Amino acid sequence: MTNKKRIVFVNLHSDWMLVKSASVYVFKYSAAVKHGYLMKYLLNQPEYEICNYINDRGFSWLRNNNGSLMKFLNLFRFAENRKTMKVNGIDPKKITVLKSASEIKPDDLVILYNICSDNYRGMDGVHAFKALSMLHFHGAASESDVINKANVSCLFGEVNLQKSCELYRRYYHVDKPWVTHPFVYAERFQNKVPFCERKNMAFATGTITYKHHKEFVETYVDPCDQPTRKQIKDNPEFFKDTIFCTSSDYLEDDAGKKINAKDCFPVKLYKKIYNRTHVGKQKTYYSFDMVEAFNSYKMCIVGEEILGIPGIGFVEGMACGCAYIGQDMPAYRDWGLIPGVHYITYDGTKEDLKRVIEYYQKDEHQAELEQIAKTGCEYVRMNFNGDAVAKSLLERLEAQQKIWLEQRGK
């Protein structure tokens, strides 16, 4: 036991990036467990000891700042942990529960998630290597101050935002090393249909979201986070016979129950829970079999975020044997993808996108298209599967931790 490498998560049971949290199994809130592969890998590696530091904020997925309510809910945070482990089929004996930040050792590797804001509580007093995932980065300048206060040691994520994101460079002042890793496709995404039997069109999908906060609008003017998805969705006639589109707005025009400043606390809480569990978020996105859809078309498009971040759907489409069409962004090259070999590029305009699709729809370019789809599929399945990415990510984080420890003479 003493020779095991300790990986410490904060409020693991509330982190919907890693497990199905209570927000999912109680309130049916839809959430993709995007880093579930990391937990699965760690649970099967005997050289690691997985720790869950449960801080003073149970049920953190509620994102509620009412002190009295949270004080009450915190009484049940350990019960929440036990229930969540059971629901996820995780043997509780495989998770070491830490009840105090003082139990975190200087040579532990602490993994935090930016999307889970309660991860930061008390972290400024933890003197261990802390790696912060920037998955679901929003870009509010206040986030920069919180990260610096927590004194994280390095940042990691699917995309190096320092290099690819203008918003990050403009408003963030976090001088930490970056570790990047690719998105991972879920195991259900399989290449099932022969290429020649697919429709000779492109399948476009992905949710469209809007960021109205000051920093985003000042940088990009338009609050739409995925403008290329929107331009496809808004121009069905222009893309007739070239693209079948299922992209939709995240809220799909259903804003739910409006929370007013004059509402009393019970009413606000009711509306918040109702909106998180009843509002039509991503109904279209989850209304069809994505695997079947990808396997029905020769090409696919999952428009990138304006922040320079591709959508996870591009990996899923390539894993299903589609020839992926995307912009020539730094993230793809960082993952080893080569334009014209693993995927097809265009300049981001609807005119060029249509031109590229029509080029590959021609009979004389079918062999070239199939080869790109085949090469891309093989590369993704070899390098973007859960075990491969988890192993590489941990190795790179541990390498950064070694440098960090050496700099401190430990």
Side-chain angles (χ1 to χ4, degrees):
M1 178 69 73
T2 56
N3 294 324
K4 288 189 174 184
K5 174 69 179 180
R6 296 214 321 177
I7 307 294
V8 180
F9 295 101
V10 179
N11 290 344
L12 167 63
H13 55 291
S14 289
D15 194 333
W16 52 276
M17 288 292 107
L18 296 164
V19 296
K20 291 181 180 178
S21 66
S23 62
V24 177
Y25 63 79
V26 174
F27 293 104
K28 310 303 180 184
Y29 183 63
S30 62
V33 188
K34 293 182 180 178
H35 285 189
Y37 66 87
L38 180 58
M39 275 300 299
K40 181 180 178 182
Y41 179 82
L42 285 169
L43 287 166
N44 289 295
Q45 303 302 315
E47 67 268 30
Y48 290 104
E49 177 185 357
I50 308 172
C51 300
N52 180 19
Y53 165 48
I54 301 178
N55 65 17
D56 63 344
R57 200 66 183 262
F59 297 86
S60 58
W61 49 270
L62 280 175
R63 299 177 188 171
N64 194 284
N65 293 318
N66 183 276
S68 297
L69 174 65
M70 294 314 299
K71 187 175 182 179
F72 173 73
L73 291 176
N74 287 347
L75 297 174
F76 305 97
R77 64 190 187 279
F78 296 106
E80 178 197 5
N81 172 62
R82 290 191 294 272
K83 174 65 175 179
T84 299
M85 294 303 109
K86 183 177 181 180
V87 169
N88 284 271
I90 298 174
D91 183 352
K93 295 179 181 178
K94 289 191 173 184
I95 309 292
T96 301
V97 174
L98 307 181
K99 298 182 179 181
S100 170
S102 63
E103 296 181 66
I104 300 176
K105 302 175 182 178
D107 58 349
D108 287 343
L109 196 164
V110 182
I111 295 181
L112 309 169
Y113 280 81
N114 183 55
I115 191 64
C116 302
S117 58
D118 283 332
N119 276 194
Y120 293 114
R121 295 172 70 85
M123 281 297 107
D124 52 332
V126 173
H127 303 292
F129 181 85
K130 292 166 284 190
L132 175 67
S133 168
M134 295 299 288
L135 185 65
H136 281 254
F137 161 79
H138 291 293
S142 57
E143 290 177 324
S144 176
D145 297 332
V146 174
I147 292 172
N148 282 317
K149 182 181 178 182
N151 193 27
V152 301
S153 312
C154 88
L155 306 173
F156 73 97
E158 285 76 3
V159 175
N160 185 334
L161 297 169
Q162 288 178 326
K163 181 166 62 174
S164 65
C165 181
E166 181 184 352
L167 174 61
Y168 184 95
R169 291 192 298 268
R170 179 182 291 191
Y171 289 102
Y172 272 56
H173 307 284
V174 182
D175 186 19
K176 301 293 179 181
W178 266 89
V179 170
T180 58
H181 60 92
F183 284 105
V184 170
Y185 62 88
E187 294 178 1
R188 66 190 179 93
F189 289 92
Q190 300 288 325
N191 185 355
K192 300 178 179 181
V193 179
F195 198 76
C196 62
E197 296 178 12
R198 302 180 181 213
K199 298 175 184 176
N200 192 21
M201 291 175 62
F203 170 63
T205 191
T207 303
I208 303 168
T209 59
Y210 300 85
K211 291 182 168 66
H212 295 279
H213 58 274
K214 172 177 173 289
E215 295 88 342
F216 190 94
V217 176
E218 283 186 354
T219 303
Y220 302 110
V221 182
D222 191 312
C224 181
D225 196 9
Q226 302 87 7
T228 55
R229 297 180 193 178
K230 190 174 188 299
Q231 75 174 359
I232 295 172
K233 174 179 175 290
D234 291 348
N235 293 277
E237 285 301 314
F238 182 81
F239 289 110
K240 185 179 179 181
D241 300 325
T242 56
I243 298 177
F244 176 74
C245 177
T246 63
S247 295
S248 59
D249 286 358
Y250 181 65
L251 294 178
E252 299 181 315
D253 299 322
D254 184 356
K257 297 183 181 298
K258 184 178 180 180
I259 300 175
N260 302 306
K262 294 182 179 180
D263 289 341
C264 63
F265 172 70
V267 172
K268 287 182 179 179
L269 181 61
Y270 161 71
K271 288 182 177 180
K272 179 179 287 190
I273 293 176
Y274 178 90
N275 290 342
R276 286 176 64 86
T277 58
H278 289 79
V279 173
K281 298 174 182 177
Q282 297 179 287
K283 280 186 177 179
T284 300
Y285 187 78
Y286 291 110
S287 66
F288 60 93
D289 187 328
M290 192 72 73
V291 179
E292 180 182 350
F294 279 130
N295 273 273
S296 298
Y297 293 87
K298 292 184 176 181
M299 295 168 274
C300 71
I301 307 157
V302 184
E304 301 90 347
E305 292 184 19
I306 200 169
L307 299 171
I309 306 173
I312 189 173
F314 95 88
V315 175
E316 298 166 342
M318 291 177 72
C320 288
C322 286
Y324 174 65
I325 304 173
Q327 297 178 65
D328 190 1
M329 290 186 167
Y332 296 120
R333 293 181 181 269
D334 287 347
W335 299 324
L337 296 173
I338 303 171
V341 176
H342 300 108
Y343 76 111
I344 300 163
T345 60
Y346 76 108
D347 67 9
T349 65
K350 68 180 190 294
E351 291 78 15
D352 194 49
L353 177 57
K354 183 177 181 180
R355 179 192 65 79
V356 166
I357 294 171
E358 290 177 338
Y359 171 89
Y360 283 106
Q361 284 180 318
K362 295 178 180 178
D363 291 342
E364 59 266 34
H365 299 138
Q366 287 294 292
E368 179 185 357
L369 179 65
E370 184 172 3
Q371 183 59 44
I372 292 173
K374 180 175 182 293
T375 305
C377 181
E378 291 173 349
Y379 185 87
V380 161
R381 300 200 69 85
M382 179 179 293
N383 298 286
F384 295 3
N385 65 77
D387 284 350
V389 174
K391 181 176 185 294
S392 174
L393 173 59
L394 288 167
E395 287 175 350
R396 297 179 70 185
L397 289 177
E398 289 176 43
Q400 285 294 332
Q401 181 189 30
K402 183 179 179 181
I403 296 171
W404 183 86
L405 288 170
E406 288 174 349
Q407 291 173 341
R408 283 150 185 79
K410 298 178 181 179

